[in-house]
Amino acid sequence: MKRTMMSLIGVAAALGAVTGVAAVTAPGGGAQEAPRSSSLLPVQRSALLCPAPTSSEVGQTDYTAFAPKGAAAGADGKKGTAQLLPAGTVKDAGGTDNGKGKKNTGKNGKGANAAAGQAVAPRDTKPVVPLQEAGKPVTTSTDSPDAPALVGAADGTLAPGWTVQQTTSIAAGAGRGLLGLSCTTPDTTFWFPGVSTATDRQDYVHLTNPDPTPAVVDLQLRGKDGSLGGSAGEDITVPPHTTVPVLLSTLTTAPTTNASLQVVAREGRIGAAVQATDSKLGSDWLPAAADPSPSVVLPGIPKDATSVRLVALAPGESDADLKVQLATPTGLITPAGLESLHLKSGMTTAVDLKDVTKGEAGSLVLTPSDGGSKAPVSAALRVTRGKGAKQEMAFIPATRPVEQRATAADNRDKGSTLSLVAPEKGKDAKVKVTASAGSGGGTPVTKTYTVKGGTSLDVAPPVPQGLKGTYALTVEPAAGSGPVYAARMLARPQGGVPAFTVQTLPDDRGTVLVPTAGQDLSVLTK
């Protein structure tokens, strides 16, 4: 019987670790207390997917991998591995030419219906940024216009909090600027408010399959009047260990400036991210927004933002009425002329907030209006810095709160800004921020910040002593703190263009609730 009990414990722990589900996070984003019959344990395996970075001949991509030190105490003492491997590519899928902008109507003229081309294996299978130890980042770079998507996994002590940052700098051309993305975990549903099929934008959604079996994906676009007519994004096949880029403008006959994209894997699971290129504003990655929720927070609007556009969607069957507030360094304020926002069910709404921050860093907070519907919403911001021909854009999607820990990789001695917001009045947040050792050397440094409830705080993060190379930032709220959300901005000017990118820092979900198994002889009599 003892052997049976231990087997049950092993099965329960394995299921929790492999799925990596956020059992510690309630549907609304709040913390969930562990039941007495469960234990909070580190995950034992995690997966990440990085899309193909760029097809530009003048682009350079840096990859930085990191796992927090000491994050997996008690994970059976297994040292573990963490690495990414190149994925294959499907060419001419859904009107693309491997992401290089050449349209193709696809099979039978149906745009993205099925993978129109043949899967091409990667040229190289050498592991990328393999980690050897926790607490110290590993980096590598490539300037190849054919750099592949990457698929990888971590286990043992390197699995909890494993993070990979993909940062691409493009010196010239329509896609010039700085593109940043925290590589994504595989899932079955993704929401992307803020996409566009207009003639001045080229938006590609990159679909990457980490598994040994095919995935089948549906794409749905919604504009201001609902589902976009002529949509042709059903039954897209993503072969095993392969990526499929799809040009969104091939999915509809109606060019739309402000739209929302829903990605659903009907079979299997995928990673998804949108690469957006604007003819005037440069390019960046649009990551998926947090799961739709009645209240959403979009942290990290730069203080020198010259233009901010909010794109929101109520994906359910009910309309949503929202109170719009900006969390500033001194408190919550209502943007002039935008006391409330009404979202019609299934329709995308866009609002230009202009220079809403007025020289002060801030974060946008959307909550249900008093007495209004608590329908779930999804939202994202397009943020612009600079003026005239020297403009650059980035995206800030709604994100999850930091419950236990979040990490931002690829920080340099200058150019990083950490944004922390405690959106609820009277609920201050105390946050410990740790700068890791550098990839080439340096001693970790820790600093604690207090964010007053209802305010947003922007800081230059701590830098490791004697830093060489790049480093990671780990954000950990203190026990009993109010809810806190975080984002990190990277700024790397390019010839007068204020090139930048913003990554939100959701909880890394490095722990999971595992049921405690025990003997129950009564089952033998049932």
Side-chain angles (χ1 to χ4, degrees), residues 92-471:
D92 298 320
T96 75
D97 182 18
N98 198 22
K100 295 184 179 180
K102 180 181 177 181
K103 287 191 177 182
N104 187 313
T105 56
K107 188 176 181 180
N108 298 325
K110 294 183 179 181
N113 287 13
Q118 183 178 5
V120 178
R123 297 177 183 176
D124 189 1
T125 57
K126 182 180 179 180
V128 178
V129 285
L131 275 181
Q132 301 297 325
E133 60 179 308
K136 182 180 180 180
V138 173
T139 65
T140 192
S141 299
T142 179
D143 59 4
S144 171
D146 295 319
L150 303 175
V151 176
D155 57 22
T157 59
L158 299 178
W162 180 47
T163 301
V164 179
Q165 168 81 12
Q166 173 180 299
T167 308
T168 302
S169 178
I170 301 177
R176 61 101 179 102
L178 190 66
L179 300 82
L181 181 70
S182 294
C183 297
T184 60
T185 56
D187 207 336
T188 57
T189 303
F190 301 85
W191 295 92
F192 297 95
V195 300
S196 175
T197 62
T199 56
D200 59 352
R201 278 269 292 268
Q202 275 201 336
D203 286 15
Y204 285 90
V205 60
H206 290 247
L207 310 172
T208 307
N209 181 0
D211 298 321
T213 56
V216 179
V217 180
D218 290 342
L219 306 177
Q220 183 176 13
L221 288 165
R222 294 181 176 92
K224 63 182 181 63
D225 297 319
S227 182
L228 293 183
S231 182
E234 296 182 352
D235 299 325
I236 300 173
T237 299
V238 186
H241 307 301
T242 298
T243 191
V244 175
V246 179
L247 181 60
L248 296 186
S249 60
T250 64
L251 304 182
T252 177
T253 57
T256 303
T257 299
N258 302 301
S260 299
L261 170 69
Q262 182 184 12
V263 178
V264 177
R266 290 191 288 108
E267 296 180 21
R269 58 178 188 158
I270 57 166
V274 172
Q275 189 177 44
T277 300
D278 189 283
S279 60
K280 296 180 180 179
L281 304 178
S283 60
D284 206 346
W285 288 100
L286 170 57
D291 291 339
S293 173
S295 299
V296 298
V297 178
L298 303 97
I301 305 174
K303 64 181 180 181
D304 60 350
T306 52
S307 175
V308 178
R309 177 185 294 171
L310 168 66
V311 181
L313 168 77
E317 297 180 356
S318 301
D319 294 358
D321 290 293
L322 301 172
K323 181 192 300 182
V324 181
Q325 294 178 296
L326 183 71
T328 72
T330 55
L332 290 167
I333 64 172
T334 299
L338 192 62
E339 290 77 13
S340 63
L341 180 64
H342 180 74
L343 303 181
K344 293 184 178 180
S345 171
M347 302 180 186
T348 298
T349 298
V351 180
D352 282 323
L353 303 176
K354 301 180 181 179
D355 56 341
V356 65
T357 57
K358 303 296 182 182
E360 288 187 327
S363 301
L364 203 65
V365 180
L366 306 179
T367 55
S369 298
D370 296 337
S373 169
K374 294 187 177 181
V377 300
S378 183
L381 298 173
R382 190 199 72 184
V383 179
T384 304
R385 297 173 71 218
K387 296 180 179 180
K390 302 293 186 180
Q391 295 185 79
E392 163 77 334
M393 71 175 183
F395 295 93
I396 303 176
T399 187
R400 301 190 308 271
V402 184
E403 301 287 357
Q404 294 189 352
R405 182 187 60 236
T407 299
D410 192 12
N411 298 280
R412 313 295 170 90
D413 57 346
K414 295 180 181 179
S416 293
T417 301
L418 178 65
S419 298
L420 304 170
V421 56
E424 297 185 19
K425 287 184 178 181
K427 294 186 177 181
D428 297 355
K430 189 176 182 180
V431 182
K432 182 176 74 172
V433 179
T434 301
S436 74
S439 57
T443 304
V445 172
T446 296
K447 190 170 182 179
T448 300
Y449 302 92
T450 298
V451 188
K452 292 184 178 181
T455 71
S456 187
L457 175 67
D458 269 25
V459 296
V463 178
Q465 295 180 356
L467 170 65
K468 293 182 180 179
T470 68
Y471 70 99

